[in-house]
Structure formats: C-alpha cells, structure tokens
Amino acid sequence: MRYTITGRNIDVTPGLRAAVEEKIGKLDRYFNPDTEVIVTLSVQKGKQKIEVTIPVKGTMIRAEESSSDMYVSIDLVEEIIERQMKKYKNKLIDKKQSAMAFSDLFINEEFDTDDEINIVKTKRFAVKPMDPEEACVQMELLGHSFYVFLNAETEQVNVVYKRKNNTYGLIEPEFE
C-alpha cells in the first residue's frame, strides 16, 4: 500500500510514520499493493486524532479515532477498518467492478458475519424547494443532524448536515 501521511498541529516523526505504516500495514492482506492510503494525524485540545481514508473503486473506506495518545488512536483506527472490511465484505466486492481493488486473499476469505443491514422503517415526506440556508434552519428546528431537501437553485436533491464544530456541510449529487 502507498501511504500519504500528513500532520495538522503535529510533526509526523519517523516513529509516528513507522507506527502508522506498521499498524495500517496489517490491512495489506485486504488490498492490492498499489492501493493508496491517506492518513491525517492531528492534535486539537489535547486529543490525538487519526483519520484514515482508503479510496477503492466505487466506494471509500474511512475511519477516524481520537484519544489522549496518538499510538492508541492508531491501534483503534486499524481495528475499526478491519471490522468494517469483514462486516461489509460482500457489499464491498462487486465481482465485475471493484473486485480488482482488493487482494485475492480477501475476496476468497470467508468471514463469519451475521450483521445484515436491516431497514426497519421507511419515511416519506413532501419535498419543498428551498435554498441550503433554509434547509439548515429546518434541520435545526427539527433537532436533526441532517436534512434532505430539493435545492431551489439546482433543482436537485441535496443534504445538509451538522458538522462536529457547529458548522454545516452540503452534499450535492455528482453524476458520472
């Protein structure tokens, strides 16, 4: 795997780089050797945070973890990604397209998964055209962390969501 390791408010020391490559390197068996792994290490208000993103064809595998010790965060994030890989193996691997992003070992390995995705409720609601700012206000009024709406400017379905630092995000569709 190819690593891109960056630091925010922290110097990426050779020791940290080695720890990331060693721990995340345990995931080598799931991916092809040319798979890119993007790692961001950051320190904020005493929290040592690691974000790992692994783009594979058609999807993105991502995890983040924070603790008071960066090495503990690195250990935890590796466990999260490994659990995700095992849990969603059948959904990640589409034999026709994205299978080439994963190693043969991972494709052929059997994992005991009884974590089926079970949709238990379907909601239907009227969609009123509005701008993203109005959608944020509606989201806040409802006390939700996201809000689906029809963007009056683009006439497309968008999603606004609340971010951790009390800011907002907007998700717009991009058709390939």
Side-chain angles (χ1 to χ4, degrees):
M1 296 192 317
R2 296 177 290 126
Y3 298 91
T4 303
I5 303 173
T6 56
R8 276 190 244 148
N9 302 329
I10 186 174
D11 289 327
V12 180
T13 63
L16 276 176
R17 180 175 296 280
V20 167
E21 290 179 0
E22 178 186 336
K23 261 308 193 184
I24 306 300
K26 290 181 178 181
L27 302 171
D28 267 348
R29 63 191 187 112
Y30 298 123
F31 300 99
N32 284 335
D34 63 338
T35 302
E36 182 181 13
V37 178
I38 303 160
V39 179
T40 305
L41 306 173
S42 61
V43 176
Q44 196 170 11
K45 296 180 184 172
K47 286 289 186 185
Q48 312 275 321
K49 181 177 176 182
I50 180 172
E51 299 173 46
V52 178
T53 305
I54 306 171
V56 292
K57 188 173 179 85
T59 192
M60 189 90 58
I61 298 164
R62 185 178 183 288
E64 66 180 60
E65 194 59 53
S66 61
S67 70
S68 58
D69 182 342
M70 185 61 78
Y71 293 96
V72 171
S73 297
I74 294 168
D75 288 347
L76 293 172
V77 82
E78 183 271 332
E79 292 171 9
I80 290 169
I81 292 175
E82 187 155 20
R83 204 167 36 247
Q84 287 175 343
M85 295 296 294
K86 290 176 180 176
K87 184 174 179 180
Y88 296 112
K89 177 188 182 233
N90 295 333
K91 302 196 179 20
L92 286 171
I93 298 177
D94 175 354
K95 299 284 188 219
K96 298 176 191 110
Q97 289 186 352
S98 61
M100 66 183 75
F102 298 102
S103 70
D104 290 337
L105 176 69
F106 178 59
I107 292 170
N108 297 320
E109 193 170 346
E110 290 296 322
F111 296 110
D112 183 26
T113 58
D114 41 329
D115 297 324
E116 284 296 315
I117 295 174
N118 189 14
I119 298 173
V120 296
K121 185 175 182 180
T122 301
K123 279 189 166 183
R124 298 188 188 283
F125 56 93
V127 180
K128 175 186 138 197
M130 61 180 73
D131 59 45
E133 291 77 20
E134 186 181 350
C136 288
V137 170
Q138 288 293 318
M139 174 181 64
E140 290 293 340
L141 290 171
L142 291 170
H144 291 172
S145 56
F146 70 94
Y147 188 78
V148 179
F149 69 103
L150 182 64
N151 191 321
E153 298 160 7
T154 63
E155 296 183 353
Q156 292 182 327
V157 174
N158 289 183
V159 175
V160 290
Y161 60 96
K162 191 163 195 151
R163 297 174 50 90
K164 289 181 183 173
N165 56 358
N166 281 336
T167 58
Y168 300 96
L170 174 67
I171 299 175
E172 298 176 318
E174 183 174 271
F175 301 101
E176 294 179 8

